[in-house]
Amino acid sequence: MQEKLIKLAELLLPNWEVNVQSIEVIQGGQMALVWKFMTDEGPKCLKRIHRPEKKALFSIHAQDYLAKKGMRVPAIIPNRDGHLYTKHGPFLFVVYDWIEGRPFDLTVSTDLQWIMRGLADYHTESIGYTPPPAAPVFSKLGKWPKHYIKRCQQMESWKLIAQKSPDDPFCQLYLNEIDSYISSGRSTLKLLQQSHYPEWVKQCKKQPNLCHQDYGTGNTLLSNDQIWIIDLDTTTFDLPIRDLRKVIIPLMGDTGTWDQELFDLMLASYEERSPLTSEQKNVMYIDMLFPYELYETASERFGRKNDIMPEELMAAFQYEERKKEQLSQFL
C-alpha cells in the first residue's frame, strides 16, 4: 500500500512546479491521504480532499482566502495551470506549505488559551469570504432545529434495537434511562426556537463567518510562538458558537464532570478576541444543553456497532445531568 501511495504522489506532483527530493506517506487511510515531500524550498504537503467536489471547492477557496488575508493557515500552492487544485479521478488534490510545530496539550492552561484565541481569530478573520461561482455555498446557518430533531429521532429508533437484546446490560440501561434525555432534547429545541437564535442567524447570513467544525488539538499547531490552524476540509458558514460547543463540551465530557473554572477560562480566552453578547451566550448555553455526549456514546454502540461498556453509558448519563444542572443556572 505504501508503494502504491508513493507512486500516486509521483504521478500527481509533476502538476506543480516543485523540485521533489523525497516523498513520505503521513496518512494513508480510506478517509485521508496526506504526503509530506521535501523540496529545495523546504517541506510541502500533498493532500487528497476526501469530500464531494463542490464541498471541497468551498473549503479550498476558503483556505486560500484566509491565507492571503494573513490568517495562519497553510498557504495553497497553485499548480502549473494556476489552479488551486488538481483533479484526479473523483478527487481533488492540493499542495500546501508544510507547517512544522508541536500539538497543543489541553490539560495545560496556556495551551488552552492559545487554542481559544486562535478559534476566535478564525471566526473573525473569515468574515468576508465569498466562495467562487463554481463552489456552492456550504452553510449550516438556521439548520440547528433539524439537527436536534434528527438526533432525537435516532435516539428513539435505537430503543427498537435495544429491545431486541433483553439480556444486554448496555441495552437495558439505555431503555431504562433514555426517555428523559430524549424529552430534554426536545425541550432544548423549544428553547432554541424561542431564543435569539433565529434573529442571529438572520444577521449572520448578511455577513457570515466560517466555522471549522473539527477544531482542536489534531488540527492546530504551535509554531514560532504562533497558532496555526490546519485541515479546513469541513469548514462551513455557521454561528461561531457551533465551534465553541464542539470544543468545550467534549473536553468537559472527557473529564467526566463539569469544570466551571475550565469553562470560564476557555470562554474568557475566546472573548479576548471576539466578545459575545449576553443574548449570544444564551444561545450557546441552550445548544450546550442538548445531550450531545450521550448521543455520541449511544451512536458508537447502535450506529457504529462498536463494543461500548454499560459503565461508559452510565458515565454519559451522569455527565449530562451535571452539565444540565450547571448550564440551567446561566439561562
Side-chain angles (χ1 to χ4, degrees):
M1 179 59 72
Q2 291 281 315
E3 290 181 8
K4 288 182 178 179
L5 292 176
I6 293 292
K7 289 181 179 179
L8 177 59
E10 290 173 343
L11 175 67
L12 288 164
L13 285 173
N15 288 286
W16 285 268
E17 292 183 6
V18 288
N19 179 20
V20 180
Q21 299 170 349
S22 63
I23 303 172
E24 178 185 359
V25 178
I26 303 299
Q27 283 183 276
Q30 292 182 349
M31 294 297 291
L33 290 182
V34 177
W35 298 262
K36 180 180 181 181
F37 64 97
M38 293 301 300
T39 74
D40 49 5
E41 296 180 347
K44 305 294 179 185
C45 173
L46 171 67
K47 181 177 181 180
R48 183 185 76 179
I49 309 296
H50 193 79
R51 302 279 286 169
E53 182 174 339
K54 290 182 179 179
K55 289 184 178 181
L57 287 174
F58 181 91
S59 63
I60 289 169
H61 285 279
Q63 182 163 339
D64 185 57
Y65 171 84
L66 288 166
K68 288 177 177 175
K69 197 174 180 181
M71 182 69 192
R72 289 176 298 279
V73 300
I76 297 178
I77 300 170
N79 64 18
R80 293 180 183 274
D81 297 326
H83 298 143
L84 296 176
Y85 59 88
T86 294
K87 186 172 182 179
H88 180 75
F91 297 107
L92 303 186
F93 290 79
V94 180
V95 169
Y96 311 126
D97 287 332
W98 184 273
I99 307 300
E100 298 283 4
R102 71 161 177 86
F104 290 92
D105 182 351
L106 297 188
T107 64
V108 178
S109 60
T110 52
D111 277 18
L112 199 57
Q113 290 171 308
W114 271 109
I115 285 275
M116 300 311 293
R117 291 172 188 145
L119 181 58
D121 289 343
Y122 185 84
H123 292 154
T124 56
E125 291 297 317
S126 64
I127 295 173
Y129 168 59
T130 302
V137 173
F138 186 34
S139 174
K140 294 189 180 294
L141 285 167
K143 296 180 180 179
W144 291 11
K146 291 181 180 178
H147 176 85
Y148 287 8
I149 292 167
K150 181 179 178 182
R151 275 153 181 73
C152 286
Q153 290 173 338
Q154 286 178 315
M155 287 190 285
E156 279 282 1
S157 70
W158 290 333
K159 289 167 59 177
L160 300 176
I161 299 175
Q163 288 167 1
K164 295 177 181 178
S165 302
D167 297 327
D168 187 315
F170 185 100
C171 292
Q172 288 310 300
L173 177 60
Y174 184 82
L175 290 171
N176 290 340
E177 302 290 341
I178 196 61
D179 283 347
S180 66
Y181 295 94
I182 295 173
S183 177
S184 177
R186 289 172 175 151
S187 296
T188 303
L189 172 59
K190 292 179 182 178
L191 287 174
L192 185 75
Q193 292 169 325
Q194 295 165 2
S195 72
H196 181 60
Y197 175 75
E199 181 61 29
W200 193 6
V201 167
K202 190 184 300 182
Q203 294 169 0
C204 198
K205 283 182 177 180
K206 297 175 183 176
Q207 202 174 27
N209 63 266
L210 289 168
C211 275
H212 188 284
Q213 289 208 103
D214 194 22
Y215 190 80
T217 53
N219 292 325
T220 50
L221 292 169
L222 181 65
S223 178
N224 298 321
D225 291 326
Q226 297 285 355
I227 184 171
W228 285 80
I229 300 172
I230 61 176
D231 194 3
L232 276 62
D233 295 1
T234 59
T235 198
T236 180
F237 289 139
D238 204 350
L239 300 183
I241 55 172
R242 178 182 179 85
D243 276 339
L244 281 169
R245 187 262 297 166
K246 295 184 82 168
V247 172
I248 294 173
I249 294 302
L251 180 59
M252 294 286 194
D254 289 343
T255 67
T257 187
W258 184 270
D259 187 334
Q260 188 60 39
E261 187 176 338
L262 179 64
F263 179 86
D264 291 341
L265 175 67
M266 296 177 78
L267 187 56
S269 300
Y270 179 88
E271 289 198 281
E272 285 179 23
R273 304 288 178 88
S274 182
L276 298 169
T277 68
S278 59
E279 289 178 320
Q280 291 169 345
K281 288 181 187 177
N282 197 59
V283 176
M284 179 181 70
Y285 299 143
I286 291 170
D287 185 41
M288 288 179 171
L289 273 178
F290 193 86
Y292 287 109
E293 290 302 289
L294 172 58
Y295 173 85
E296 287 300 323
T297 302
S299 182
E300 279 294 319
R301 173 61 186 272
F302 299 121
R304 301 181 185 94
K305 310 296 184 184
N306 293 324
D307 289 332
I308 305 294
M309 299 298 290
E311 290 79 7
E312 292 182 59
L313 181 59
M314 178 57 74
F317 283 134
Q318 292 171 345
Y319 170 67
E320 293 296 348
E321 286 300 316
R322 297 188 193 103
K323 182 187 72 172
K324 183 178 180 180
E325 180 180 350
Q326 193 67 38
L327 289 172
S328 296
Q329 299 178 33
F330 302 150
L331 292 171

